[in-house]
Amino acid sequence: MSKKVLVLAEAREGALRNVSYEAIAAGKQISNGGEVVSVLLGDSVQGLTAELGKYGADRVITVEHPHLKQYTSDGYGQALLAVIEQENPQAIVFGHTALGKDISPKIASKLQIGLVSDVTAIEGEGDAAVYIRPIYSGKAFEKVKVKDGIEFVTIRPNNIAPFAKDDSKSADVSSLSVDITNLRTIIKEVVRKSSEGVDLSEAKVVIAGGRGVKSEEGFAPLKELADVLGGAVGASRGACDADYCDYSLQIGQTGKVVTPDLYIAAGISGAIQHLAGMSNSKIIVAINKDPEANIFKVADYGIVGDLFEVIPMLTEEFKQLKVNA
Amino acid sequence: MNIYVLVKRTFDTEEKIVVSGGKIQEDGAEFIINPYDEYAIEEAIQVRDAQGGEVTVLTLGGEDAEKQLRTALAMGADKAVLINIEDDVEELDQFTAAQIISEYLKDKNADLILAGNVAIDGGSGQVGPRVAELLGINYVTTITNLEIDGTSVSIKRDVEGDTEVLETSLPLLVTAQQGLNEPRYPSLPGIMKAKKKPLEEVELDDLDIDEDDVEAKTETLEIYLPPKKEAGKVLEGELADQVKELVQLLHSEAKVV
Ligand SMILES: Cc1cc2nc3c(=O)[nH]c(=O)nc-3n(C[C@H](O)[C@H](O)[C@H](O)COP(=O)(O)OP(=O)(O)OC[C@H]3O[C@@H](n4cnc5c(N)ncnc54)[C@H](O)[C@@H]3O)c2cc1C
Ligand SMILES: Cc1cc2nc3c(=O)[nH]c(=O)nc-3n(C[C@H](O)[C@H](O)[C@H](O)COP(=O)(O)OP(=O)(O)OC[C@H]3O[C@@H](n4cnc5c(N)ncnc54)[C@H](O)[C@@H]3O)c2cc1C
């Protein structure tokens, strides 16, 4: 049976996040030939709808309201429930982002349905869809099926490949007007710490530093390498605890979970709690002066050496590669 | 103030995971309070000490979870409740867990409920917000700071590294993020006192819940370990050559740059 699938598009600072396109691809697979409807919420989002069509959405529904300028669970909850009521989808896909994590349980609870969170892969199509998600901080995986009712999943950014952009495609755009009232939370201020450069949880390349980086200034060469590769800088808790960098960069069990194509760990010992946040990365490179460091056990490639020598050399080498390409 | 904390018993973070017979092997494993729930307990104790009132820790699980509840009592919680489902529920998902927990809480008039942002084993982060929605109260997730003045609440929350500053009011459910506080260790006198603190045990019958009404909506078909990674390649030779080789490998073999 084919399904109508509702997928949430997420914008950040005026641009769509990649996970919006990944959700469309996931939705297509679950739909089994059915329609994928992308939902976009905000105070002014018309400028973003065309992109969603190019990435494969069949239709786009926008809800615009001044109260949707900033995310609140009440505001987004009311808007999304109104869209769900109008569209009656058989499946729903959100990103497993801060926003998706916060809003999806509310919707699931309201509709009294199951929710499969943090899905990293989907097997099968339509009614046969099975969802794969990490458990025990990525130390194991489970395959989960929705028994009955709406199939509601959140997908981990960077794991399900979006379709290639096709400029010839477009989606029908319609808007729904929803009365958003009674917000119980008022956002006073958002202090941006992570807005510089590439978003850590969506980055294809992450250069992470640990206590071995030794100081705040020690992160500069890592940043330089990240810039050359179009990646983001991350850190171990060791580095955060030592005040070399902000906690917003922490990767691991109590920090962010990242699954980039390339993860370079520099001066990180590889504690189990750190591995919980990055061990599912596609390729892991370890740079550590201790050949016994645990990080080498999960690394695909390792260099035993001083990161302050190795990182700048890598930066130069990658620059060369780019020039030659 | 009437404060509840949702506490989950989880595998120790250091434990190796062994799967046998399609299940995670629990025999001999160490169990702990979910680390995020420790932040929630600590915050609850601090709020109570500042504002007065009572902290009740609540776990849905089996007999074994008493140990974690006693630890929470030793940290300073006043009362504990174990919703023991061992004999009644075979399959449990986040829907089931939240339905049962909220059924227990619905007539308790909690002013503040604290939970962890995510359980490090199940890892969905659903239970807190689901419970709040079922109780009809507001919730704020991944908080790093909490200030309460009367019924007004000021909160800082972590949003993928950014800090959101917001205002809301009681009754409220919050979920704890790392950075909220430094959880205390139970003191020796605390451990002694905890033995005498009340630990109530309830079952589904006591809550008038029919298992069929809370039947899981999702089903785990299989649990498996990630494929063992082949030992990586530690490069050798002159450093400059290693760096060149690494870049080539990443470019031509791994094709990630
Ligand atoms: C409940 C709990 C949750 C936790 N959550 C997290 C988490 O989310 N994320 C996390 O990362 N940790 C977490 N930890 C902490 C974790 O256990 C480790 O303490 C931490 O990851 C260590 O950080 P590190 O590797 O930077 O430091 P260290 O273990 O001190 O390692 C530093 C490494 O740098 C190397 N080094 C030093 N100088 C150089 C140099 N010049 N060149 C190359 N290498 C060099 C050393 O050989 C060493 O291997 C958690 C711990 C607990 C108990
Ligand atoms: C006896 C038993 C049998 C189970 N059987 C199955 C099974 O057959 N299949 C399966 O997939 N899973 C099973 N589970 C696991 C169950 O699905 C999860 O524990 C539950 O749904 C919570 O989901 P989560 O781990 O994603 O927690 P999250 O939603 O990530 O937890 C977030 C927060 O919610 C609170 N919380 C979560 N769980 C509890 C709890 N149990 N008590 C109190 N507070 C809590 C905590 O504050 C926690 O930090 C079983 C658990 C128990 C105790």
Side-chain angles (χ1 to χ4, degrees), chain A residues 52-111:
Chain A
L52 294 166
K54 291 174 184 167
Y55 279 95
D58 299 305
R59 271 199 296 135
V60 178
I61 298 178
T62 60
V63 182
E64 294 183 308
H65 195 287
H67 285 345
L68 296 176
K69 184 175 164 66
Q70 272 162 326
Y71 168 80
T72 58
S73 59
D74 280 335
Y76 267 55
Q78 290 167 31
L80 287 166
L81 285 166
V83 175
I84 292 167
E85 191 180 351
Q86 172 184 283
E87 292 294 322
N88 235 325
Q90 280 103 37
I92 306 173
V93 182
F94 291 179
H96 197 67
T97 56
L99 189 157
K101 278 185 239 184
D102 192 79
I103 193 70
S104 56
K106 181 187 179 86
I107 306 266
S109 204
K110 192 85 183 171
L111 299 174

Side-chain angles (χ1 to χ4, degrees), chain A residues 166-181:
Chain A
D166 182 346
D167 284 324
S168 70
K169 281 196 174 164
S170 66
D172 289 337
V173 180
S174 61
S175 65
L176 181 67
S177 103
V178 182
D179 195 16
I180 310 268
T181 56

Side-chain angles (χ1 to χ4, degrees), chain B residues 114-181:
Chain B
L114 299 103
N117 130 52
V118 67
I120 58 166
D121 49 1
S124 75
Q126 291 182 27
V127 171
R130 270 190 187 262
V131 166
E133 181 63 27
L134 290 168
L135 295 173
I137 64 174
N138 193 21
Y139 64 87
V140 181
T141 57
T142 57
I143 73 163
T144 53
N145 189 265
L146 176 70
E147 273 164 46
I148 300 176
D149 182 7
T151 59
S152 305
V153 183
S154 310
I155 286 179
K156 290 195 177 117
R157 68 182 287 253
D158 167 53
V159 185
E160 297 179 6
D162 295 339
T163 303
E164 214 171 76
V165 184
L166 58 91
E167 278 175 13
T168 182
S169 57
L170 300 177
L172 180 71
L173 184 146
V174 294
T175 74
Q177 171 69 308
Q178 187 197 3
L180 179 60
N181 52 44

Side-chain angles (χ1 to χ4, degrees), chain A residues 211 214 236-237 250-251 254 269 273-274 288 306-307:
Chain A
R211 224 189 301 265
K214 294 198 180 70
S236 71
R237 177 152 144 194
Q250 183 182 318
I251 289 165
T254 40
S269 61
Q273 295 90 354
H274 186 75
N288 197 303
D306 184 345
L307 71 94

Side-chain angles (χ1 to χ4, degrees), chain A residues 146-219:
Chain A
V146 178
K147 290 209 273 194
D148 54 22
I150 300 174
E151 309 245 329
F152 190 5
V153 303
T154 63
I155 57 166
R156 181 183 287 194
N158 241 348
N159 281 265
I160 293 171
F163 298 128
K165 185 171 173 178
D166 182 346
D167 284 324
S168 70
K169 281 196 174 164
S170 66
D172 289 337
V173 180
S174 61
S175 65
L176 181 67
S177 103
V178 182
D179 195 16
I180 310 268
T181 56
N182 253 328
L183 300 187
R184 291 173 292 186
T185 296
I186 301 158
I187 313 287
K188 289 286 177 193
E189 191 190 352
V190 180
V191 186
R192 295 239 179 262
K193 292 189 195 158
S194 57
S195 55
E196 271 176 60
V198 184
D199 183 353
L200 190 51
S201 49
E202 292 199 336
K204 295 284 176 207
V205 176
V206 173
I207 317 294
R211 224 189 301 265
V213 168
K214 294 198 180 70
S215 66
E216 200 178 332
E217 298 72 47
F219 267 94

